[in-house]
PDB file of all heavy atoms in Angstrom:
ATOM      1  N   LEU G 116      33.697 -16.506  17.799  1.00  0.00           N
ATOM      2  CA  LEU G 116      34.198 -15.470  18.892  1.00  0.00           C
ATOM      3  C   LEU G 116      35.624 -15.211  18.463  1.00  0.00           C
ATOM      4  O   LEU G 116      36.359 -16.211  18.342  1.00  0.00           O
ATOM      5  CB  LEU G 116      34.006 -15.956  20.209  1.00  0.00           C
ATOM      6  CG  LEU G 116      34.578 -15.028  21.287  1.00  0.00           C
ATOM      7  CD1 LEU G 116      33.778 -13.735  21.347  1.00  0.00           C
ATOM      8  CD2 LEU G 116      34.603 -15.792  22.643  1.00  0.00           C
ATOM      9  N   THR G 117      35.970 -14.034  18.219  1.00  0.00           N
ATOM     10  CA  THR G 117      37.288 -13.776  17.698  1.00  0.00           C
ATOM     11  C   THR G 117      37.786 -12.345  18.261  1.00  0.00           C
ATOM     12  O   THR G 117      37.089 -11.665  18.896  1.00  0.00           O
ATOM     13  CB  THR G 117      37.441 -13.911  16.221  1.00  0.00           C
ATOM     14  OG1 THR G 117      38.837 -13.794  15.845  1.00  0.00           O
ATOM     15  CG2 THR G 117      36.725 -12.860  15.477  1.00  0.00           C
ATOM     16  N   SER G 118      38.956 -11.999  17.828  1.00  0.00           N
ATOM     17  CA  SER G 118      39.554 -10.712  18.092  1.00  0.00           C
ATOM     18  C   SER G 118      39.425  -9.907  16.695  1.00  0.00           C
ATOM     19  O   SER G 118      39.661 -10.411  15.765  1.00  0.00           O
ATOM     20  CB  SER G 118      40.929 -10.709  18.576  1.00  0.00           C
ATOM     21  OG  SER G 118      41.602  -9.490  18.428  1.00  0.00           O
ATOM     22  N   ASN G 119      39.177  -8.586  16.823  1.00  0.00           N
ATOM     23  CA  ASN G 119      39.174  -7.885  15.532  1.00  0.00           C
ATOM     24  C   ASN G 119      40.389  -7.183  15.203  1.00  0.00           C
ATOM     25  O   ASN G 119      40.556  -6.402  14.280  1.00  0.00           O
ATOM     26  CB  ASN G 119      37.937  -6.956  15.436  1.00  0.00           C
ATOM     27  CG  ASN G 119      37.912  -5.811  16.461  1.00  0.00           C
ATOM     28  OD1 ASN G 119      38.760  -5.906  17.423  1.00  0.00           O
ATOM     29  ND2 ASN G 119      37.239  -4.791  16.309  1.00  0.00           N
ATOM     30  N   TYR G 120      41.473  -7.559  15.992  1.00  0.00           N
ATOM     31  CA  TYR G 120      42.845  -7.125  15.588  1.00  0.00           C
ATOM     32  C   TYR G 120      43.789  -8.056  16.128  1.00  0.00           C
ATOM     33  O   TYR G 120      43.535  -8.727  17.155  1.00  0.00           O
ATOM     34  CB  TYR G 120      43.072  -5.648  15.959  1.00  0.00           C
ATOM     35  CG  TYR G 120      43.051  -5.399  17.466  1.00  0.00           C
ATOM     36  CD1 TYR G 120      44.154  -5.428  18.299  1.00  0.00           C
ATOM     37  CD2 TYR G 120      41.823  -4.998  18.022  1.00  0.00           C
ATOM     38  CE1 TYR G 120      44.042  -5.192  19.682  1.00  0.00           C
ATOM     39  CE2 TYR G 120      41.746  -4.674  19.337  1.00  0.00           C
ATOM     40  CZ  TYR G 120      42.806  -4.808  20.142  1.00  0.00           C
ATOM     41  OH  TYR G 120      42.732  -4.549  21.460  1.00  0.00           O
ATOM     42  N   PRO G 121      45.003  -8.235  15.495  1.00  0.00           N
ATOM     43  CA  PRO G 121      46.004  -9.270  15.936  1.00  0.00           C
ATOM     44  C   PRO G 121      46.358  -9.071  17.493  1.00  0.00           C
ATOM     45  O   PRO G 121      46.675  -7.913  17.748  1.00  0.00           O
ATOM     46  CB  PRO G 121      47.111  -9.156  15.061  1.00  0.00           C
ATOM     47  CG  PRO G 121      46.628  -8.440  13.807  1.00  0.00           C
ATOM     48  CD  PRO G 121      45.385  -7.582  14.271  1.00  0.00           C
ATOM     49  N   GLY G 122      46.259 -10.067  18.201  1.00  0.00           N
ATOM     50  CA  GLY G 122      46.704 -10.025  19.575  1.00  0.00           C
ATOM     51  C   GLY G 122      45.679  -9.361  20.529  1.00  0.00           C
ATOM     52  O   GLY G 122      45.965  -9.081  21.684  1.00  0.00           O
ATOM     53  N   GLY G 123      44.520  -9.064  20.052  1.00  0.00           N
ATOM     54  CA  GLY G 123      43.577  -8.382  20.824  1.00  0.00           C
ATOM     55  C   GLY G 123      42.641  -9.328  21.583  1.00  0.00           C
ATOM     56  O   GLY G 123      42.883 -10.549  21.472  1.00  0.00           O
ATOM     57  N   TYR G 124      41.867  -8.785  22.524  1.00  0.00           N
ATOM     58  CA  TYR G 124      40.874  -9.695  23.286  1.00  0.00           C
ATOM     59  C   TYR G 124      39.796 -10.269  22.425  1.00  0.00           C
ATOM     60  O   TYR G 124      39.461  -9.645  21.382  1.00  0.00           O
ATOM     61  CB  TYR G 124      40.389  -8.767  24.460  1.00  0.00           C
ATOM     62  CG  TYR G 124      41.280  -8.496  25.506  1.00  0.00           C
ATOM     63  CD1 TYR G 124      41.940  -7.236  25.450  1.00  0.00           C
ATOM     64  CD2 TYR G 124      41.682  -9.354  26.488  1.00  0.00           C
ATOM     65  CE1 TYR G 124      42.840  -6.829  26.481  1.00  0.00           C
ATOM     66  CE2 TYR G 124      42.636  -9.014  27.416  1.00  0.00           C
ATOM     67  CZ  TYR G 124      43.155  -7.690  27.335  1.00  0.00           C
ATOM     68  OH  TYR G 124      44.177  -7.445  28.331  1.00  0.00           O
ATOM     69  N   TYR G 125      39.232 -11.292  22.852  1.00  0.00           N
ATOM     70  CA  TYR G 125      38.197 -12.073  22.033  1.00  0.00           C
ATOM     71  C   TYR G 125      36.905 -11.364  22.500  1.00  0.00           C
ATOM     72  O   TYR G 125      36.083 -11.948  23.237  1.00  0.00           O
ATOM     73  CB  TYR G 125      38.324 -13.566  22.290  1.00  0.00           C
ATOM     74  CG  TYR G 125      39.230 -14.207  21.390  1.00  0.00           C
ATOM     75  CD1 TYR G 125      40.543 -13.762  21.310  1.00  0.00           C
ATOM     76  CD2 TYR G 125      38.907 -15.240  20.583  1.00  0.00           C
ATOM     77  CE1 TYR G 125      41.547 -14.313  20.422  1.00  0.00           C
ATOM     78  CE2 TYR G 125      39.800 -15.765  19.660  1.00  0.00           C
ATOM     79  CZ  TYR G 125      41.111 -15.422  19.674  1.00  0.00           C
ATOM     80  OH  TYR G 125      41.984 -15.980  18.799  1.00  0.00           O
TER      81      TYR G 125
END
Side-chain angles (χ1 to χ4, degrees):
L116 176 67
T117 186
S118 162
N119 62 348
Y120 58 94
Y124 290 99
Y125 275 53

